[in-house]
Amino acid sequence: MRAMPLAFALLALLALSGCGQLQPWVKPYERERLADRVMAWDRDPLSTGYIEHVHANREDAKGGTGSTGGGCGCN
Amino acid sequence: MARMPFITRLAGCILIVAAACVRADVLPDERADVMWKLYEGGGIKVEGPSMLVRTNVSDKVSFTGGYSVDVVTGASIDMIVLGASPMHEVRKQKNFGVDYLYGKTTYSVGFENSIENDYDDTTASAGISQSMFGDLTTVSLSVSRGWDIIQRVINADGEKDPGFRKRSDRKTWGVSVSQILTRNLIGGVDYEAITEQGYLQNPYRAYRYLAAPGSALFLTAPELYPGTHTSNAASVRLKYYLPWRASLTGKYRYFFDTWDVRAHTAELDYTQPLVHDSLIADFTYRYYRQNSASFYSDLFAYANQFNYMARDRELAAQNNTTMGVALSYDLVKSQHWFIKKATVGLHYDYIAYHYLDFRDASQHQYPAGSEPLYRYDASVVQVLGSIWF
């Protein structure tokens, strides 16, 4: 686990190494459909956070979906 | 190599990403959400309000604040088996966060506190998000640190055991990449590692063991958990714009931890606008399965059989299926006074839990270890109201 921040830093460096060189293959004027609200990852953050809390408190698997913290309320 | 302090490592990550190419980006929308939610299943009912507000004080700084209350009543299968009286407890959670936008980089810090009468959880988090490659790619890094205090209530008046006060600490590291793939397709990958250390068990829960070799009866004793736990979750997601203006989302997550649990989660979502775009309907199907932890057993042969012994159904082999429908209706679609948009929503999720090695020990007519496998259904209802301003 100690190597985790270093791994993040390396990943960030790799990701940024091509910055300014790679040309976007989907131009801004071609993103009309992607800007439509039906394509939003999370339209209701309050609802998404709650349903993830419901699942996380009844399953061993946690994380990897962007939510952290919070008590249980689930004895 | 000497270990760097946590904050130094975080600062290192932030500085590296901040070196990226810089152009202006925008902060998230200013909005306020209120919700009333209900969870009912397995003998437990949890209900209460939640709210979340995001406001921008300039084009660079955004604040978020949230507050939530859960009122928990009822008796779970564990409490029935142990003969505990039904509970009535309240959990209050508050969170606060700040986002600072500089060019294409968003820096975030957050704080969250959750309090129950016997559990206090405080979490501090920080993150950085960088948009790059002509905004085709967004890379986000996050870290958090949590401190939990666990106490034990000893009677119906809520009096706590003065000699029982335990702690556990938690660290998380997350990385997420969102990617525009085509004019109709976006995707993302996420990874999160969580390490926990300290008192990781429930102070009330017990494992059960045979009263004597060959006996049909069982006795109970307090669970024994390891003092450390490390878990990893990796997920991939894709969202596709369908030709008739709808979207289809697929998600998959693989989870593994140092307690030998492996879990798979698959989800399919469909989003469809209706009624001249005033109503949006979301349909969700989610499937989850996991194997049991290495120190879990429904029925141990005798007391203190192993160093670590648990009968928490969260650690049992299980699968569950969620089916959900969500409707969101636009009340206000254009600027009206200070409101840019307003919606109301109703969400319903049905969850069916099936346990594969956790038995219903409340059914005393069966010999210990021969009871039917435990299963139950749960309903989750959410009523939401949102305004954008």
Side-chain angles (χ1 to χ4, degrees):
Chain A
M1 280 304 113
R2 290 180 185 187
M4 197 64 67
L6 183 61
F8 285 177
L10 287 173
L11 185 76
L13 274 176
L14 273 174
L16 294 172
S17 61
C19 192
Q21 297 166 17
L22 190 70
Q23 294 300 311
W25 60 87
V26 181
K27 307 292 184 195
Y29 56 83
E30 296 176 317
R31 299 176 193 171
E32 184 185 353
R33 292 171 180 170
L34 304 181
D36 193 307
R37 59 176 172 167
V38 301
M39 291 295 282
W41 284 118
D42 185 9
R43 288 203 322 276
D44 288 311
L46 200 57
S47 170
T48 305
Y50 180 67
I51 204 73
E52 286 183 0
H53 178 79
V54 166
H55 289 308
N57 284 329
R58 287 156 187 88
E59 300 166 350
D60 188 50
K62 290 167 184 61
T65 56
S67 68
T68 56
C72 180
C74 59
N75 288 321
Chain B
M1 190 174 81
R3 188 179 181 190
M4 289 184 291
F6 173 75
I7 194 69
T8 308
R9 286 177 286 161
L10 171 63
C13 290
I14 290 172
L15 282 172
I16 286 167
V17 178
C21 46
V22 174
R23 274 187 297 163
D25 212 337
V26 291
L27 288 166
D29 290 341
E30 293 182 282
R31 60 187 283 183
D33 301 87
V34 292
M35 176 175 77
W36 177 85
K37 77 274 185 192
L38 165 72
Y39 168 92
E40 191 161 20
I44 294 290
K45 185 176 179 181
V46 185
E47 61 183 327
S50 297
M51 59 166 288
L52 181 66
V53 177
R54 174 182 284 278
T55 185
N56 302 340
V57 295
S58 70
D59 57 355
K60 290 185 177 300
V61 181
S62 177
F63 289 98
T64 54
Y67 186 70
S68 183
V69 177
D70 286 342
V71 178
V72 188
T73 52
S76 67
I77 181 70
D78 296 333
M79 298 167 68
I80 292 169
V81 169
L82 293 173
S85 40
M87 67 171 154
H88 182 280
E89 64 180 33
V90 178
R91 181 175 81 94
K92 294 178 181 175
Q93 178 180 311
K94 50 187 177 291
N95 62 280
F96 176 75
V98 182
D99 295 320
Y100 174 69
L101 177 67
Y102 181 78
K104 291 281 186 186
T105 309
T106 303
Y107 305 87
S108 305
V109 291
F111 171 84
E112 185 172 293
N113 179 243
S114 169
I115 295 177
E116 294 168 63
N117 58 350
D118 54 1
Y119 204 100
D120 189 334
D121 167 23
T122 302
T123 302
S125 59
I128 183 167
S129 182
Q130 173 72 37
S131 183
M132 59 187 72
F133 306 142
D135 294 337
L136 284 185
T137 308
T138 303
V139 178
S140 304
L141 308 175
S142 64
V143 292
S144 77
R145 181 98 188 238
W147 300 267
D148 295 357
I149 296 170
I150 304 104
Q151 294 178 278
R152 186 166 59 194
V153 172
I154 52 177
N155 60 33
D157 296 329
E159 189 183 346
K160 295 170 189 169
D161 179 353
F164 185 92
R165 185 181 170 88
K166 305 286 186 183
R167 289 191 53 161
S168 72
D169 292 346
R170 181 180 58 258
K171 296 175 186 173
T172 72
W173 295 269
V175 59
S176 174
V177 179
S178 291
Q179 179 69 47
I180 293 175
L181 295 165
T182 72
R183 284 190 285 181
N184 297 313
L185 182 66
I186 53 176
V189 291
D190 306 278
Y191 170 77
E192 189 169 345
I194 305 173
T195 64
E196 298 167 285
Q197 190 169 13
Y199 188 83
L200 303 179
Q201 65 201 67
N202 182 315
Y204 308 106
R205 194 173 286 125
Y207 69 87
R208 63 175 188 154
Y209 59 94
L210 282 175
S215 173
L217 304 175
F218 67 86
L219 299 172
T220 60
E223 289 183 318
L224 299 161
Y225 269 48
T228 60
H229 183 213
T230 299
S231 64
N232 300 270
S235 66
V236 59
R237 53 196 155 90
L238 289 169
K239 186 181 277 284
Y240 186 71
Y241 186 95
L242 296 162
W244 56 90
R245 191 171 175 244
S247 70
L248 188 65
T249 307
K251 299 177 187 173
Y252 170 76
R253 178 181 66 174
Y254 179 66
F255 171 92
F256 61 100
D257 70 8
T258 51
W259 292 351
D260 288 344
V261 175
R262 304 284 180 269
H264 302 271
T265 311
E267 185 174 323
L268 207 56
D269 304 322
Y270 177 76
T271 302
Q272 177 67 62
L274 300 164
V275 196
H276 309 295
D277 199 27
S278 291
L279 183 71
I280 288 195
D282 292 283
F283 302 92
T284 299
Y285 176 83
R286 179 184 186 271
Y287 177 76
Y288 173 87
R289 72 180 171 94
Q290 70 176 50
N291 63 297
S292 58
S294 56
F295 55 96
Y296 170 87
S297 177
D298 179 61
L299 181 64
F300 289 91
Y302 50 89
N304 299 316
Q305 185 180 2
F306 301 108
N307 289 336
Y308 303 122
M309 304 168 77
R311 191 180 175 269
D312 179 359
R313 64 182 186 280
E314 198 178 304
L315 299 180
Q318 63 156 299
N319 61 59
N320 66 62
T321 304
T322 304
M323 285 177 284
V325 59
L327 299 173
S328 178
Y329 182 74
D330 293 338
L331 285 178
V332 178
K333 298 181 80 167
S334 56
Q335 186 86 32
H336 183 76
W337 195 28
F338 71 98
I339 298 172
K340 291 178 182 168
K341 190 172 80 167
T343 63
V344 289
L346 177 64
H347 300 193
Y348 175 78
D349 290 273
Y350 168 81
I351 313 173
Y353 293 94
H354 296 166
Y355 295 90
L356 308 177
D357 56 2
F358 180 87
R359 295 182 180 277
D360 185 352
S362 67
Q363 300 203 26
H364 300 296
Q365 68 270 34
Y366 296 94
S370 300
E371 303 95 339
L373 291 169
Y374 185 58
R375 58 195 298 172
Y376 73 97
D377 302 336
S379 291
V380 183
V381 178
Q382 299 169 81
V383 181
L384 295 111
S386 303
I387 58 168
W388 283 254
F389 52 89

